[in-house]
C-alpha cells in the first residue's frame, strides 16, 4: 500500500467533493428529534438523508456488489445502511466484518455565533468550515466511503464493511437499538468497529478515545404557588422557588467547588486510565483548558492538568443547560414567581450504569421537599458510558504506524467527556470486537456551541488513518 498515494487520493476527494457536500449539509437545519418534535413534518432529516444517499450512490459502482438502503422503521428516525462486500483477494479474512459508524442529526442552534457565522450558514475560513454538524459528525459517511475508495484506487484488499449512519444520536440514540436488532443478521458479528464521532486533543496527531462518559438528566421543577403574586406582599412569607431549587441542587453538587456530592455516582478509575490522563496532560499542557473561551481573568477549577483530564473523562459533573419559569430581564416585574425549572445534564463515569444513575438522581432530588413544595424531576435520558477493551497488538501497531505516516507524530490516547450511546451498546453486543474511536472535534471546534467548525486537514488525515487501519485489519485477519 502506497501511503503517499492514499494521502493524495483522500486529499483530492475531500477538496473536490466532500467539502462542497458538507457545505450543503450544513445549510439543512436537521435538528435531532429531542430538539425538533415535528422533524417529520419539517422534512429536514429527509433532506439530509437524501443529500448523503445521493452522493454515496455515485460511489457504490466502484465496489463490486455494494448496496445502500435507507431503512425506515415505523415511527423512528431513518438510518442509512451501506454494505460493501470484501474486496480484493478472496479467502482468509474476507468473512470478517468492519462496521463504520456516524450520525447525521444535529444539535440546536445555540446563541452567541459571530456576526458573520451561523448554525445553518456554511462559511469557509482557511482550513476551517464553520456551521452546525460538519464535524459532529456529518463528515462520517463521506470519510468512511473515501477511506474505502482510497483502498479501491490501489486495489488494496479489505474485509466486508458495513456503514451505519443514524439520525438520533444527539437525542441519545434511542432509535438505534431497534435498528441494530432489525439488521442483526445482515450486520453479522463485527471484528472491528470504527467510530468517527469523537474528539481530539490537538490537530497534530491521531487521538484514540479510550472511554466515554454516560449521561442522565431531565427537568427539575419546583412549584410553590398556583400563580405569581406581588413580591412585596409575599416575600418573607412564601418561600422562593428559586431558593428551594438551589437548595435541592446542593444535594447533588457542591455549590462552591462543583464537586458531585453523592458517592453513589463515582467509580474506581482504572490505573491505566489515570496514567493515560497524566500522559495526555503532558502532551497538551495548558491546552487542556485554554481551548475554552474563558472570559478575562477566569481560571479552571484546578491548576492540576491531570485532574482536569480525569474530571472531564471519569468523574461525574453537572451542567444546567436550560431554565424555565423566568421571564426575560426586560419583562421581569416585581413578582414572586410560582415556579422555577431547570434542565439538568449529568455526565456519569464510563462504567456506571446510566439507568441506575437516573433512578438515583430522581430519588435524590424529589425526596423530602423543603416546605412541602411540589418538586418533580422528569427524567428525559439515561445512557451508560463506555470503557474501551484493550487494543489487540496488531491494532495498536497499526494505529501507531498510521499516525506517524499521516501526521508525522505518535498516536495519543485519552477518554472523552461526551457520550456516544452506540459504543456502549455495541460493546455489550460484541464483546470481542476491536474499537477504533476517533474524531475531528479538537480545540475551539465547539461542538454543540456557537462557532462550531470542522478542521478540514484533520478530517482528511483521519480518513487516511481509517483507510490504513482497514487495510491492516484485512492483513491480520488473513493470517488467522
Amino acid at each position: 500500500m502506497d501511503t503517499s498515494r492514499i494521502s493524495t487520493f483522500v486529499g483530492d476527494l475531500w477538496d473536490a467533493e466532500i467539502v462542497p457536500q458538507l457545505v450543503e449539509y450544513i445549510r439543512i437545519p436537521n435538528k435531532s428529534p429531542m430538539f425538533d418534535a415535528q422533524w417529520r413534518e419539517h422534512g429536514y432529516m429527509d433532506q439530509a438523508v437524501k443529500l448523503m444517499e445521493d452522493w454515496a450512490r455515485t460511489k457504490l459502482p466502484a465496489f463490486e456488489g455494494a448496496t445502500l438502503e435507507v431503512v425506515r422503521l415505523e415511527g423512528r428516525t431513518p438510518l442509512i445502511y451501506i454494505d460493501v462486500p470484501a474486496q480484493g483477494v478472496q479467502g482468509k479474512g474476507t468473512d470478517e466484518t468492519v462496521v463504520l459508524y456516524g450520525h447525521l442529526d444535529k444539535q440546536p442552534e445555540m446563541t452567541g455565533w459571530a456576526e458573520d457565522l451561523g448554525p445553518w450558514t456554511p462559511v469557509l475560513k482557511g482550513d476551517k468550515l464553520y456551521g452546525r454538524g460538519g464535524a459532529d459528525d456529518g463528515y462520517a459517511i463521506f470519510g468512511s466511503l473515501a477511506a474505502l475508495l482510497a483502498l479501491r484506487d490501489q486495489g488494496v484488499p479489505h474485509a466486508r464493511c458495513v456503514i451505519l449512519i443514524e439520525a438520533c444520536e444527539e437525542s441519545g440514540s434511542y432509535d438505534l437499538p431497534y435498528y441494530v436488532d432489525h439488521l442483526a443478521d445482515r450486520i453479522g458479528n463485527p471484528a472491528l468497529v470504527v467510530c468517527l464521532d469523537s474528539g481530539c486533543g490537538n490537530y497534530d496527531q491521531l487521538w484514540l478515545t479510550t472511554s466515554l462518559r454516560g449521561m442522565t438528566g431531565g427537568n427539575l421543577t419546583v412549584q410553590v404557588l398556583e400563580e405569581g403574586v406581588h413580591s412585596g406582599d409575599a416575600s418573607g412569607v412564601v418561600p422562593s422557588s428559586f431558593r428551594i431549587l438551589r437548595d435541592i441542587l446542593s444535594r447533588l453538587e457542591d455549590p462552591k467547588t462543583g464537586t458531585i456530592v453523592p458517592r453513589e455516582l463515582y467509580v474506581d478509575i482504572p490505573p491505566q486510565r489515570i496514567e493515560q490522563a497524566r500522559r495526555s496532560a503532558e502532551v497538551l499542557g495548558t491546552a487542556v483548558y485554554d481551548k475554552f473561551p474563558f472570559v478575562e481573568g477566569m481560571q479552571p477549577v484546578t491548576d492540576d492538568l491531570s485532574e482536569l483530564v480525569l474530571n472531564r473523562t471519569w468523574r461525574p459533573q453537572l451542567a444546567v443547560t436550560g431554565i424555565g419559569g423566568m421571564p426575560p430581564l426586560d419583562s421581569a416585574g416585581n413578582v414572586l414567581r410560582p415556579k422555577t425549572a431547570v434542565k439538568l445534564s449529568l455526565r456519569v463515569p464510563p462504567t456506571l450504569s446510566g439507568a441506575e444513575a437516573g433512578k438515583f438522581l430522581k430519588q435524590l432530588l424529589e425526596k423530602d421537599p423543603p416546605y412541602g413544595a411540589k418538586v418533580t424531576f422528569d427524567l428525559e435520558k439515561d445512557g451508560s458510558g463506555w470503557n474501551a477493551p484493550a487494543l489487540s497488538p496488531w491494532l495498536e501497531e497499526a494505529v501507531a504506524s498510521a499516525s506517524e505516516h499521516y501526521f508525522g507524530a505518535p498516536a495519543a490516547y485519552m477518554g472523552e467527556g461526551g457520550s456516544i450511546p452506540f459504543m456502549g451498546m455495541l460493546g455489550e453486543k460484541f464483546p470481542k470486537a476491536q474499537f477504533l474511536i476517533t474524531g475531528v472535534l479538537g480545540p475551539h471546534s465547539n461542538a454543540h456551541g456557537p462557532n462550531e467548525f470542522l478542521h478540514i486537514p484533520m478530517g482528511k488525515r483521519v480518513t487516511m488513518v481509517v483507510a490504513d487501519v482497514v487495510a491492516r485489519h484485512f492483513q491480520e485477519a488473513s493470517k488467522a
Side-chain angles (χ1 to χ4, degrees):
M1 182 173 60
D2 185 340
T3 55
S4 62
R5 185 169 165 182
I6 291 282
S7 299
T8 299
F9 182 93
V10 168
D12 289 348
L13 187 59
W14 265 79
D15 291 339
E17 298 187 39
I18 295 178
V19 171
Q21 287 290 319
L22 289 172
V23 165
E24 297 308 312
Y25 166 75
I26 286 171
R27 297 187 197 279
I28 305 171
N30 53 311
K31 291 184 286 187
S32 200
M34 181 180 291
F35 312 108
D36 183 4
Q38 295 181 290
W39 64 269
R40 294 180 186 84
E41 293 82 357
H42 291 153
Y44 300 128
M45 202 72 78
D46 287 335
Q47 289 181 30
V49 168
K50 188 175 188 305
L51 181 146
M52 293 181 175
E53 177 189 7
D54 288 350
W55 183 83
R57 287 195 184 281
T58 67
K59 304 304 173 188
L60 292 193
F63 308 103
E64 183 179 352
T67 59
L68 182 154
E69 178 184 355
V70 177
V71 187
R72 300 179 186 272
L73 295 180
E74 182 66 27
R76 303 199 176 278
T77 50
L79 178 136
I80 300 176
Y81 179 90
I82 302 175
D83 195 323
V84 178
Q87 303 286 311
V89 179
Q90 300 301 305
K92 286 184 178 181
T94 59
D95 58 346
E96 292 203 350
T97 297
V98 176
V99 168
L100 301 103
Y101 163 85
H103 68 88
L104 58 81
D105 56 316
K106 303 180 184 180
Q107 283 279 320
E109 294 87 342
M110 188 62 184
T111 59
W113 290 78
E115 186 175 343
D116 60 337
L117 302 175
W120 322 127
T121 304
V123 175
L124 271 168
K125 288 187 176 182
D127 290 334
K128 301 170 183 174
L129 173 58
Y130 287 85
R132 178 70 81 229
D136 185 24
D137 76 358
Y139 84 101
I141 186 171
F142 303 103
S144 296
L145 275 173
L148 300 184
L149 287 165
L151 298 182
R152 185 64 177 165
D153 175 63
Q154 295 189 45
V156 176
H158 62 77
R160 172 179 177 252
C161 293
V162 170
I163 300 174
L164 300 176
I165 307 295
E166 67 157 316
C168 192
E169 194 274 343
E170 299 292 5
S171 297
S173 291
Y174 57 75
D175 284 342
L176 192 58
Y178 296 92
Y179 280 107
V180 171
D181 289 342
H182 177 71
L183 298 167
D185 291 342
R186 294 166 63 180
I187 294 174
N189 191 10
L192 174 64
V193 176
V194 177
C195 172
L196 301 181
D197 186 29
S198 197
C200 53
N202 56 36
Y203 301 113
D204 303 320
Q205 59 201 120
L206 178 69
W207 288 81
L208 258 64
T209 299
T210 57
S211 63
L212 297 157
R213 284 191 293 188
M215 182 173 63
T216 188
N219 299 324
L220 173 63
T221 303
V222 175
Q223 184 173 2
V224 297
L225 295 168
E226 295 296 335
E227 62 184 5
V229 297
H230 193 299
S231 62
D233 186 25
S235 59
V237 178
V238 179
S240 161
S241 62
F242 180 82
R243 178 169 65 84
I244 294 173
L245 185 142
R246 183 176 57 185
D247 181 42
I248 290 173
L249 283 181
S250 68
R251 301 173 182 176
L252 175 63
E253 178 190 55
D254 184 319
K256 291 185 177 179
T257 65
T259 301
I260 297 301
V261 176
R263 300 312 301 173
E264 291 88 342
L265 295 173
Y266 287 81
V267 300
D268 292 330
I269 305 174
Q272 181 188 30
R273 300 303 183 226
I274 294 175
E275 175 59 21
Q276 288 172 339
R278 184 191 64 78
R279 292 202 300 267
S280 294
E282 289 179 353
V283 169
L284 296 174
T286 59
V288 169
Y289 64 84
D290 62 19
K291 65 179 181 178
F292 299 112
F294 283 118
V295 297
E296 186 176 354
M298 184 67 185
Q299 299 176 349
V301 297
T302 177
D303 57 6
D304 187 320
L305 300 180
S306 296
E307 287 299 297
L308 290 177
V309 174
L310 290 171
N311 280 350
R312 68 176 287 274
T313 57
W314 275 91
R315 294 189 180 120
Q317 302 289 340
L318 177 68
V320 176
T321 61
I323 192 163
M326 288 191 175
L329 294 179
D330 57 3
S331 301
N334 293 321
V335 175
L336 196 150
R337 296 172 298 98
K339 64 181 179 181
T340 303
V342 290
K343 185 177 289 292
L344 304 180
S345 176
L346 179 68
R347 301 287 176 172
V348 298
T351 54
L352 188 72
S353 166
E356 291 302 315
K359 292 178 184 177
F360 175 82
L361 187 59
K362 183 174 178 65
Q363 293 171 356
L364 178 74
L365 299 175
E366 289 186 346
K367 71 178 182 180
D368 302 326
Y371 305 101
K374 183 179 180 181
V375 177
T376 57
F377 180 66
D378 297 321
L379 189 65
E380 284 186 330
K381 51 201 170 189
D382 53 60
S384 297
W386 174 79
N387 187 28
L391 293 185
S392 293
W394 77 264
L395 183 54
E396 188 169 9
E397 182 182 338
V399 164
S401 174
S403 187
E404 291 288 354
H405 275 306
Y406 304 110
F407 287 89
Y413 297 81
M414 185 170 65
E416 285 294 329
S419 305
I420 308 175
F422 182 59
M423 291 303 103
M425 182 175 59
L426 269 196
E428 291 180 2
K429 286 183 175 292
F430 308 113
K432 295 183 179 180
Q434 287 286 290
F435 290 84
L436 174 65
I437 315 301
T438 188
V440 299
L441 293 167
H444 310 292
S445 59
N446 212 21
H448 300 193
N451 308 324
E452 178 183 335
F453 68 76
L454 165 66
H455 189 275
I456 295 172
M458 190 69 182
K460 292 177 179 179
R461 293 189 183 106
V462 166
T463 301
M464 298 168 196
V465 168
V466 172
D468 202 302
V469 170
V470 170
R472 298 290 184 94
H473 161 261
F474 180 84
Q475 294 174 8
E476 182 66 21
S478 298
K479 299 175 184 177

